[in-house]
Amino acid sequence: MTTQDSKLQFDTMDAGDFKDFAKAMTDYIAEYLENIRDRQVVPSVKPGYLRPLLPDQAPEKPEPWTAVMADIERVVMSGVTHWHSPRFHAYFPTANSYPSIVADMLSGAIACIGFTWIASPACTELEVVMLDWLGQMLGLPDEFLARSGGEAGGVIQGTASEATLVALLGAKAQAMQRIKEDHPDWTDSEIVSKLVGYCNKQAHSSVERAGLLGGVKLRLLKPDAKRCLRGDILRTAMEEDISKGLIPFYVVATLGTTSSCTFDDVDEIGDVCQVHNVWLHVDAAYAGSAFICPEFRYLMKGIHKADSFNFNPHKWMLVNFDCSALWLKKPRWIVDAFNVDPLYLKHDQQGSAPDYRHWQIPLGRRFRALKLWFVLRLYGVENLQKHIRKHVALAHLFEKLCISDERFELFEEVTMGLVCFRLKGSNELNEELLRRINGRGKIHLVPSKIDDVYFLRLAICSRFTEESDIHFSWDEVKASAEEVFKSYKE
Ligand code: PLP
C-alpha cells in the first residue's frame, strides 16, 4: 500500500470540504448568536432526552459533514441552555465574542501543547506579553508584571478555582520553608497541621475546596454588616489561632463575591497579612474585568499588598472560556516548590523565558493567549470599557425598576452587573416567585441565601442585552409576582 492509498483510506475531509464545513458553521454561528433572543432560554427536555436521538454505536462508515450540520438543531440545540441570550440572568456571565471564537479556531489549528518555551515559543511569549497588557489595563502595580524585569508575571489558568489552589500551594511552600528554618526539629506533617488559611464566609466554595485539596485548615470568617471582610475581623481570628499554636499562612480576599457581589477590604487585609507574613491572594473572578474602568479601581485599593491576583476575562471581558488570568509576584514558590524535571521536558533555553508547566497543575496547556490578543486588538480597551459600563448601567436600570415597585426590596447595593432583590416578605414567598419566573420559561434566574434570607439574583450576562431586554425581564418578574399574590389569595 502506498502512502497515498493509506491517506485516502482515513482522511475523509480534505481542505476543500473543511472550508465548506467551516463556512457553513460560521454562517450557522452568526445566525445562532444574532437571533439567540428568540430561543427558549432553558430547554424543556428531560434527563436522558439525548440518547434516543442517536444511534447505539459510532458509525462504521464516514458520514458527510452536511449530515452532522443537519443534526445540530435536533440533537444539540434542543438541549442547550442559552447562556448568551439576554433572557439568561443566572450565575455570573460567561464571555463570548466573534474575535475570541475565531482565535479558538486558530488555536485548534496550531494545536500545540505549550508546556515549555521550546514546545511552542509563540504560545509562551504571547501569553507573557498579553498578561502584561492586561495587567496594565487593570492598573495592577508593576510589581506583578513581567515587564518590570523581575521574576513576577502573569499566567493563564483554566479557572479561578485552579488559580486559588495554585496560590495556596505557593503560600504553603513559602510558609513551610520559613517555619523549617525557624524550627529545624519540626516534621513536615507537624508544620502542615499547624497551618491555617482564611477567607470571607461569602468567598466562593472553590476557596474552601482549595484548603481541602491542599490539606490545610481554612477558616471561613463572618464578614461585617456589609458582607465585607475587614482587617480587624482577620486580625482577631489570626491572633486567636496564633495563641492556640497555629500558624496563619494564606488569606483569600474576594472582590465581587458570588452570591451578592460584595467587596473585601484588600487594603486593611493587606496590612494584617504584612504584619504576620501571610500570603494574600485576591480572587476577583467576575468583578476584576471592571477594573479596566478607572472609576471602579477604588474597590481594589491596597492591591499592591497582595502576593497574587486573579480574575476571569472569560467571565466578563468577552474572551470565551477558558481564560483565567493569574499574576504572581513571586512565582518561584510555585515554580521551584513543585519542579519535576524529566529529561524529555528539558531544553537549552531554560530560565530565559517561563516554562509555564511549572506555574500550573496540569502539564498540558492550549494556546489561549491568542483569544486575548484577538479580543484586545479587535475591541480596543475603549470598547471593552463600554461593554462593562453598559452592563453596569443595565443593572442600575433593573434596580430602578425594582425599587419603584413598593412590593420589592433590594438585598444588596448594586455595584456591578448583578441585582440582588426580593419581594418584601418571607423566604417561601420568594421561593414561589422564583419558581413562577423560571416556570414561565421566558427568563432564567438563580437564587441565593445569606444569613437565612433568600433572594433572587439577576445578572446581566449577554453582550446582546439592551434596555428593552431589561424591561422585558422586569415585566416577567412583575407578572410572576402577580401570579404569586393571586395564588396566595385563592
Ligand atoms: N471566585 C468567585 C468570586 C466566583 O464568583 C467564581 C464563579 O463564579 C469562582 C471563583 C469560580 O470560578 P471558576 O469557574 O473560574 O473556577
Coordinates of all heavy atoms in Angstrom, one line a residue, residues 91-92 158-162 164 202-207 254-259 283-287 310 312 314-315 321 324 457, ligand 1:
Y91 N -26.4 32.8 37.5 CA -24.9 32.7 37.9 C -24.2 34.1 37.7 O -24.8 35.1 38.0 CB -24.2 31.6 37.1 CG -25.1 30.4 36.9 CD1 -25.6 30.0 35.7 CD2 -25.4 29.6 38.1 CE1 -26.4 28.9 35.6 CE2 -26.2 28.5 37.9 CZ -26.7 28.1 36.7 OH -27.5 27.0 36.6
F92 N -23.0 34.0 37.1 CA -22.3 35.2 36.6 C -22.2 35.0 35.1 O -22.3 33.8 34.6 CB -21.0 35.4 37.2 CG -21.0 36.2 38.5 CD1 -20.1 35.8 39.6 CD2 -21.8 37.3 38.7 CE1 -20.1 36.5 40.7 CE2 -21.8 38.0 39.9 CZ -20.9 37.6 40.9
G158 N -6.9 27.7 33.8 CA -8.2 27.4 33.2 C -9.4 28.1 33.9 O -10.3 28.6 33.3
T159 N -9.3 28.1 35.3 CA -10.4 28.7 36.0 C -9.8 29.4 37.3 O -8.7 29.2 37.7 CB -11.3 27.6 36.6 OG1 -10.5 26.7 37.4 CG2 -12.0 26.8 35.4
A160 N -10.7 30.2 37.9 CA -10.3 30.9 39.1 C -10.1 29.9 40.3 O -9.3 30.1 41.1 CB -11.5 31.8 39.6
S161 N -10.8 28.7 40.2 CA -10.6 27.7 41.2 C -9.2 27.2 41.2 O -8.5 27.0 42.2 CB -11.6 26.5 41.0 OG -12.8 27.0 40.7
E162 N -8.7 27.0 40.0 CA -7.3 26.5 39.9 C -6.3 27.6 40.4 O -5.3 27.2 41.0 CB -6.9 26.2 38.4 CG -7.4 24.9 37.8 CD -7.3 25.0 36.3 OE1 -6.2 24.8 35.8 OE2 -8.3 25.2 35.6
T164 N -6.8 29.8 42.7 CA -6.8 29.9 44.1 C -6.0 28.7 44.7 O -5.2 28.9 45.7 CB -8.3 29.8 44.7 OG1 -9.0 30.8 44.1 CG2 -8.3 29.9 46.2
Q202 N -18.4 34.4 52.6 CA -19.0 34.6 51.3 C -18.1 34.3 50.2 O -18.5 34.5 49.0 CB -19.6 36.0 51.2 CG -20.7 36.3 52.1 CD -21.9 35.4 52.0 OE1 -22.2 34.9 50.9 NE2 -22.4 34.9 53.1
A203 N -16.9 33.9 50.5 CA -15.9 33.5 49.4 C -16.5 32.4 48.6 O -17.3 31.6 49.1 CB -14.6 33.2 49.9
H204 N -16.1 32.2 47.3 CA -16.6 31.1 46.5 C -16.2 29.8 47.1 O -15.1 29.6 47.8 CB -15.9 31.2 45.1 CG -16.6 30.3 44.1 ND1 -16.0 29.1 43.7 CD2 -17.7 30.4 43.4 CE1 -16.7 28.5 42.8 NE2 -17.8 29.3 42.6
S205 N -17.0 28.8 46.9 CA -16.8 27.4 47.5 C -15.4 26.8 47.1 O -14.9 26.0 47.8 CB -17.9 26.5 47.1 OG -18.0 26.4 45.7
S206 N -14.9 27.3 46.0 CA -13.6 26.8 45.5 C -12.5 27.1 46.4 O -11.4 26.5 46.4 CB -13.3 27.3 44.1 OG -13.3 28.7 44.1
V207 N -12.7 28.2 47.3 CA -11.6 28.5 48.2 C -11.5 27.5 49.3 O -10.5 27.0 49.7 CB -11.8 29.9 48.8 CG1 -10.7 30.3 49.8 CG2 -12.0 31.0 47.7
T254 N -11.9 38.4 48.5 CA -12.7 38.3 47.4 C -13.2 39.7 46.9 O -13.7 40.5 47.8 CB -14.0 37.5 47.6 OG1 -13.5 36.2 48.1 CG2 -14.8 37.2 46.3
L255 N -13.0 40.0 45.7 CA -13.5 41.3 45.1 C -14.7 40.9 44.2 O -14.4 40.4 43.1 CB -12.4 42.1 44.4 CG -11.3 42.6 45.3 CD1 -10.3 43.3 44.5 CD2 -11.8 43.4 46.4
G256 N -15.9 41.0 44.7 CA -17.1 40.6 43.9 C -17.5 39.1 44.3 O -17.2 38.2 43.6
T257 N -18.1 39.0 45.5 CA -18.5 37.7 46.0 C -19.6 37.1 45.1 O -20.3 37.8 44.4 CB -19.0 37.7 47.4 OG1 -20.0 38.7 47.5 CG2 -17.9 38.1 48.4
T258 N -19.6 35.8 45.0 CA -20.5 35.1 44.1 C -22.0 35.3 44.4 O -22.8 35.6 43.5 CB -20.2 33.6 44.1 OG1 -18.8 33.4 44.0 CG2 -20.8 32.9 42.9
S259 N -22.3 35.3 45.7 CA -23.8 35.4 46.0 C -24.3 36.8 45.7 O -25.4 36.9 45.1 CB -24.0 35.1 47.5 OG -24.2 33.7 47.6
D283 N -9.1 37.1 44.8 CA -10.0 36.5 43.9 C -11.0 37.5 43.4 O -11.9 37.8 44.1 CB -10.7 35.3 44.5 CG -11.8 34.7 43.7 OD1 -11.9 35.1 42.5 OD2 -12.5 33.8 44.2
A284 N -10.8 38.0 42.1 CA -11.8 38.9 41.6 C -12.4 38.3 40.3 O -12.5 39.0 39.3 CB -11.0 40.2 41.2
A285 N -12.7 37.0 40.4 CA -13.1 36.2 39.2 C -14.1 37.0 38.3 O -13.8 37.1 37.1 CB -13.8 34.9 39.7
Y286 N -15.2 37.5 38.8 CA -16.1 38.2 38.0 C -15.8 39.7 37.9 O -15.6 40.2 36.8 CB -17.5 38.0 38.5 CG -18.6 39.0 38.0 CD1 -19.0 39.0 36.7 CD2 -19.1 39.9 38.9 CE1 -19.9 39.9 36.3 CE2 -20.0 40.8 38.5 CZ -20.5 40.8 37.2 OH -21.4 41.8 36.7
A287 N -15.7 40.3 39.1 CA -15.7 41.8 39.1 C -14.3 42.4 38.6 O -14.3 43.5 38.2 CB -15.9 42.3 40.5
N310 N -6.1 37.4 40.8 CA -6.7 36.6 39.7 C -8.1 37.2 39.3 O -8.9 37.6 40.1 CB -6.9 35.2 40.2 CG -7.8 34.3 39.3 OD1 -8.8 33.8 39.8 ND2 -7.4 34.1 38.1
N312 N -11.2 36.5 35.8 CA -11.6 35.7 34.7 C -12.0 36.6 33.5 O -13.2 37.0 33.4 CB -12.7 34.8 35.0 CG -12.3 33.6 35.9 OD1 -11.2 33.4 36.1 ND2 -13.3 32.9 36.3
H314 N -12.7 35.4 31.0 CA -13.8 34.5 30.4 C -15.1 34.7 31.1 O -16.1 34.2 30.6 CB -13.4 33.1 30.4 CG -13.4 32.3 31.7 ND1 -12.3 31.6 32.1 CD2 -14.3 32.2 32.6 CE1 -12.6 31.0 33.3 NE2 -13.8 31.4 33.6
K315 N -15.2 35.6 32.1 CA -16.5 35.9 32.6 C -17.1 37.1 32.0 O -18.2 37.1 31.5 CB -16.4 36.0 34.2 CG -16.5 34.7 34.9 CD -16.6 35.0 36.4 CE -17.2 33.8 37.2 NZ -16.5 32.5 36.9
F321 N -14.5 31.1 27.4 CA -14.0 30.2 28.3 C -13.0 29.3 27.6 O -13.2 28.9 26.5 CB -15.1 29.3 28.9 CG -14.7 28.4 30.0 CD1 -14.7 28.9 31.3 CD2 -14.3 27.1 29.8 CE1 -14.3 28.0 32.4 CE2 -13.9 26.3 30.8 CZ -13.9 26.7 32.1
S324 N -8.4 32.4 32.6 CA -8.4 32.9 33.9 C -7.0 33.5 34.2 O -6.0 32.7 34.1 CB -8.8 31.8 34.9 OG -8.8 32.3 36.2
R457 N -31.2 36.6 42.3 CA -30.0 37.3 41.6 C -30.4 37.4 40.2 O -30.7 36.5 39.5 CB -28.8 36.4 41.7 CG -28.3 36.1 43.1 CD -27.2 35.0 43.1 NE -25.9 35.5 42.6 CZ -25.5 35.4 41.3 NH1 -26.2 34.8 40.4 NH2 -24.2 35.8 41.0
Ligands
PLP1 N1 -14.5 33.0 42.6 C1 -15.6 33.8 42.5 C2 -15.7 35.0 43.3 C3 -16.6 33.4 41.6 O1 -17.7 34.1 41.5 C4 -16.5 32.2 40.9 C5 -17.5 31.7 40.0 O2 -18.5 32.3 39.7 C6 -15.3 31.4 41.1 C7 -14.3 31.9 42.0 C8 -15.1 30.1 40.4 O3 -14.7 30.4 39.0 P1 -14.2 29.3 38.1 O4 -15.4 28.6 37.5 O5 -13.4 30.1 37.1 O6 -13.4 28.4 38.9

